[in-house]
Amino acid sequence: MDGAPFPDVRVRPGIRLSLDLKQARATALYGQGVPAADTYGRFDPSFNSHLKRDQDIAQAKHLLKQAGKENLRLQLVTSPIAAGIVQASQVLAENAKAAGITINVRQVDPGSYVSQYGKWPFAIDFWVGLPYLVLASIADGPRASVVNTTHFNDPEFNSLFNQASKQLDLKQRTALIHKMQQIQYDRGGYIIWSFQNNVDAYSSKIGGIQPVDETAWGLGRAQLHKLYFK
């Protein structure tokens, strides 16, 4: 967000609005995902499920024209670090053409990607399900550093984070978090296009497995010490 052309608050949503989210899920995840709208924390009780994002080429063009970026050219660095992420990058590049955006998708191997993690101007990432404030604290909150790959530093967001982090009342904390998520939706640095489904496979001879938990980690966070043979 601190490198051209991304500091312009009109450019980021302009790119987001060019993506056909349904096509991305169908192509990259074979439909095995649920809609997302550029903010995280789906399983957090304070997650705002009312935020929606649909493709809007006309609005994307309008925002980019306002920003003087009608013929925007970008390089998107991608790598097969998670299911469907390379394919989703390709869908974005194809969709973006309609908005006048040319995206060159550069695929690198995971080792090369990790060696420059956080240094690519426009790249991909993958997160597992964590509580909203936990993920904000390491991804784009006021003290996030190493994994703040978008270089997000929003004073209003930071203030809300500090208030929410010490608010014990769920209702009041939720109101603060919803304001944080609205900021991410309006002017954040992520394109969060889907929450992918997880599929757990295990033998019927094994007991103690919790296939689904509220964070959606595979095999109940793989806590193998809780497993046993029936």
Side-chain angles (χ1 to χ4, degrees):
M1 290 175 61
D2 52 7
F6 302 114
D8 194 312
V9 73
R10 296 164 294 189
V11 170
R12 301 191 296 274
I15 299 170
R16 288 168 165 172
L17 289 168
S18 70
L19 178 61
D20 186 333
L21 297 171
K22 293 180 180 178
Q23 182 185 353
R25 289 193 302 274
T27 302
L29 297 176
Y30 300 98
Q32 292 298 313
V34 297
D38 307 315
T39 188
Y40 44 73
R42 175 192 174 198
F43 294 100
D44 193 293
S46 298
F47 180 70
N48 186 356
S49 59
H50 298 292
L51 292 175
K52 307 294 182 184
R53 180 84 71 189
D54 295 311
Q55 185 186 48
D56 190 335
I57 296 298
Q59 180 65 5
K61 286 183 174 180
H62 174 71
L63 290 170
L64 293 172
K65 184 176 182 179
Q66 282 189 328
K69 302 294 182 182
E70 294 99 323
N71 298 301
L72 187 61
R73 302 184 69 88
L74 300 167
Q75 176 175 266
L76 172 58
V77 177
T78 190
S79 184
I81 62 169
I85 206 161
V86 171
Q87 293 80 1
S89 301
Q90 294 166 340
V91 171
L92 173 60
E94 188 63 31
N95 290 164
K97 293 176 183 178
I101 307 169
T102 300
I103 298 178
N104 173 39
V105 177
R106 176 188 171 192
Q107 183 174 338
V108 300
D109 64 87
S112 298
Y113 166 76
V114 173
S115 71
Q116 297 296 311
Y117 183 81
K119 299 178 182 178
W120 307 106
F122 187 31
I124 50 85
D125 207 349
F126 170 73
W127 286 91
V128 295
L130 293 171
Y132 179 81
L133 290 175
V134 174
L135 190 45
S137 73
I138 56 179
D140 50 10
R143 287 170 290 281
S145 56
V146 176
V147 292
N148 185 356
T149 54
T150 67
H151 297 185
F152 187 73
N153 185 19
D154 187 290
E156 184 182 1
F157 184 89
N158 292 345
S159 175
L160 290 166
F161 174 88
N162 289 331
Q163 295 175 57
S165 296
K166 58 187 178 183
Q167 178 55 253
L168 299 180
D169 181 84
L170 177 59
K171 185 176 181 179
Q172 294 184 54
R173 186 168 67 249
T174 296
L176 294 167
I177 287 177
H178 280 195
K179 291 180 181 180
M180 295 171 66
Q181 292 173 328
Q182 188 67 52
I183 290 172
Q184 291 175 314
Y185 180 90
D186 292 335
R187 58 182 187 264
Y190 289 120
I191 301 173
I192 303 179
W193 56 282
S194 181
F195 299 112
Q196 71 180 54
N197 297 344
N198 282 351
V199 179
D200 287 344
Y202 57 95
S203 169
S204 60
K205 298 177 181 179
I206 302 297
I209 290 178
Q210 299 295 322
V212 178
D213 65 15
E214 61 184 14
T215 62
W217 283 61
L219 292 173
R221 290 180 175 260
Q223 298 183 63
L224 303 184
H225 63 286
K226 295 184 178 180
L227 306 187
Y228 55 89
F229 286 103
K230 292 184 179 178

